[in-house]
Amino acid sequence: MENSKTFSLNDHFLWGGAVAAHQLEGAWNVDGKGISIADVMTQGANGVERKITDGVLDGENYPNHEAIDFYHLYPEDIKLFAEMGFKCFRTSIAWSRIFPQGDEDLPNEAGLKFYDDLFDTCLKYGIKPVITLSHFEMPYHLVQVYGGWRNRKMIGFFTKFARVVFERYKDKVEYWMTFNEINNQTSYDMTFSLFTNSGILAKTGEDPEKLMYQAGHYETVASALAVQIGHQINPNFKIGAMIAMIPIYPASSKPADIFKAEKAMQIRYWFADVQVNGRYPDWLVKYQQNHHFDLDITLADLDVLKSGPVDYLGFSYYMSASVAASESDEPEYGYKENHKFVKNPYLAASDWGWQIDPQGLRYAMNWLNDRYHLPQFIVENGLGAIDQLEDDQTIHDAYRIDYLREHIRQMELAVAYDGINLIGYTPWGCIDLVSAGTGQMDKRYGFIYVDKNDAGHSTLKRYKKDSFYWYKKVIQSNGRDLD
Ligand code: BG6
């Protein structure tokens, strides 16, 4: 019988937590920061999409503008992470703090200084910063003037940004990732994901699928160039890809269901195929030809892709999904994300409808290992839930502990029995922050409660949840004590 208690993770295992700049920093227009795409997204609700406005408009509610004001309060927050025993802290660098418009020649010194101070504070406690270059927050000016990643010029803007921060933080940061959840834009028919991933709003008559393939191409080229630049600046850098890992299961053992799930996985993971293998998968070459997308992909680009493979695979894991074949499926399976998912009768879901599937994490790790043969880093995992701050200032989030415990158990089994080379584990939103999907504060993931809610109440005070003490014990025991 497999038992996760029969082993321990290695002593260098990177336990920590993950966040993204725009979801917690706030200070959206402070110290020279430019407007980012997250700054023009309003607050939504459970089941209500966020609006993307035409610039920052009076009278709209933009939750990322203040977020949890980590920009000013981070010394207190990092201290709390240290108290939990964090070995690493995953965050992103807000591109618009460094290049407020994105197309300037020179960076904004105040922005660079902020991350110097932040990283120094982490390092003071022995916490390694793990940094995403682009996490859903490119400068908005690049959207307005260049149309976002539909434009080849973005490769130059991104690599300039990457070079500047690699140079500046070469002695402070070892682990990097290029684009957060680069494959989320597979659901290109939802306006939201093309915008957050690539700063693209499809115009009337434009084919969002074609735009997604073009943006994805430029981004994978930019990612490969960034890997090369980073390794030149510091050969010890570990630069990873970052994908949203949602295993897509067949709804039944019917061969047509199984094949459809296989096609869905191909479509969802081609980005990582390119970033790891340095080449387009065969099915995608054919698919793009058959669709006459007429993309701007040059032979020189294909050489770049070959020469900048990533060092490791970072991924988020929250849930699994399932698909069923239907009579109308064509031989090519032009499958559209989200629209074709069916409910898995064996799984419960969060209040936001995300199916909870701890064993799916072990499945995912195996699938990724068989496909990519790279070290893995689980850089997001967690449960978004409503928490209650009690009168005595405690928060009893047993449901979050249960979720994390079961996922950690599966992660440990994957290391112990499946030979997965796992670098670390950083649960998402280790401190409550603004939800990327809905813009809510009430959808909480943290070990640390932040006193701010969707209705507008806000003291920004921090409180330790029950999960804070639990996670501290998990880290102290290097994953042995999960009770
Ligand atoms: C991932 C993102 O998609 O999931 C994060 O990388 C995001 O930015 C997280 O916050 C959870 O999603 P949500 O919509 O609950 O914030």
Side-chain angles (χ1 to χ4, degrees), residues 43-294:
Q43 184 181 307
N46 192 353
V48 180
E49 274 200 25
R50 307 178 71 174
K51 269 190 308 184
I52 301 165
T53 59
D54 189 11
V56 174
L57 306 180
D58 286 344
E60 294 286 0
N61 178 5
Y62 299 107
N64 300 66
H65 284 194
E66 181 192 56
I68 61 161
D69 199 20
F70 181 78
Y71 190 79
H72 296 108
L73 302 176
Y74 74 84
E76 183 194 336
D77 296 335
I78 304 291
K79 200 168 162 203
L80 288 168
F81 299 156
E83 192 183 325
M84 273 186 279
F86 278 22
K87 313 284 183 222
C88 74
F89 172 53
R90 175 186 177 226
T91 187
S92 59
I93 295 177
W95 187 346
S96 57
R97 283 197 198 287
I98 311 303
F99 287 100
Q101 308 267 299
D103 58 358
E104 302 91 336
D105 289 333
L106 293 177
N108 170 32
E109 178 53 32
L112 288 167
K113 168 89 171 48
F114 168 70
Y115 291 104
D116 265 322
D117 295 345
L118 173 62
F119 300 161
D120 288 342
T121 306
C122 291
L123 293 168
K124 183 177 85 183
Y125 291 109
I127 298 174
K128 285 179 198 270
V130 174
I131 300 304
T132 316
L133 291 173
S134 177
H135 191 133
F136 301 167
E137 41 61 22
M138 58 189 279
Y140 185 58
H141 173 80
L142 297 179
V143 173
Q144 289 180 299
V145 176
Y146 302 93
W149 280 95
R150 72 176 72 219
N151 192 322
R152 180 175 276 277
K153 287 196 173 136
M154 288 297 300
I155 298 174
F157 299 140
F158 177 79
T159 49
K160 180 181 55 179
F161 163 60
R163 185 183 293 281
V164 164
V165 297
F166 283 154
E167 269 296 346
R168 178 79 171 216
Y169 308 119
K170 61 175 182 287
D171 300 323
K172 299 184 182 179
V173 178
E174 179 186 356
Y175 287 95
W176 301 85
M177 277 163 277
T178 52
F179 293 93
N180 183 63
E181 293 188 337
I182 189 169
N183 62 328
N184 246 10
Q185 54 198 325
T186 310
S187 41
Y188 53 83
D189 51 337
M190 295 166 68
T191 310
F192 179 83
S193 46
L194 254 189
F195 187 70
T196 51
N197 273 110
S198 296
I200 292 178
L201 287 169
K203 298 178 198 131
T204 318
E206 280 187 321
D207 175 3
E209 185 177 21
K210 173 179 169 164
L211 290 171
M212 181 273 288
Y213 282 119
Q214 188 63 71
H217 175 70
Y218 291 149
E219 285 161 1
T220 49
V221 169
S223 173
L225 286 168
V227 172
Q228 289 180 34
I229 294 167
H231 286 156
Q232 279 156 16
I233 291 173
N234 183 346
N236 294 324
F237 276 175
K238 317 268 188 308
I239 309 175
M242 193 315 194
I243 55 169
M245 183 57 185
I246 302 178
I248 303 170
Y249 301 146
S252 78
S253 54
K254 195 159 84 185
D257 285 356
I258 291 173
F259 190 66
K260 185 160 180 165
E262 168 64 14
K263 291 308 283 183
M265 291 294 275
Q266 285 181 340
I267 290 171
R268 201 171 161 81
Y269 297 103
W270 72 267
F271 299 83
D273 292 347
V274 175
Q275 288 179 293
V276 175
N277 301 328
R279 64 184 283 272
Y280 272 76
D282 299 328
W283 72 266
L284 185 52
V285 174
K286 196 73 191 161
Y287 184 87
Q288 293 180 344
Q289 279 168 4
N290 287 347
H291 281 256
H292 306 291
F293 284 137
D294 192 22

Side-chain angles (χ1 to χ4, degrees), residues 20 22-23 90 135-136 180-181 184 242 316 318 354 380 428 433-438 443 445:
H22 68 100
Q23 291 175 256
R90 175 186 177 226
H135 191 133
F136 301 167
N180 183 63
E181 293 188 337
N184 246 10
M242 193 315 194
S316 62
Y318 294 91
W354 294 19
E380 291 185 29
W428 177 250
L433 39 59
V434 176
S435 154
T438 64
K443 187 181 187 189
Y445 289 86

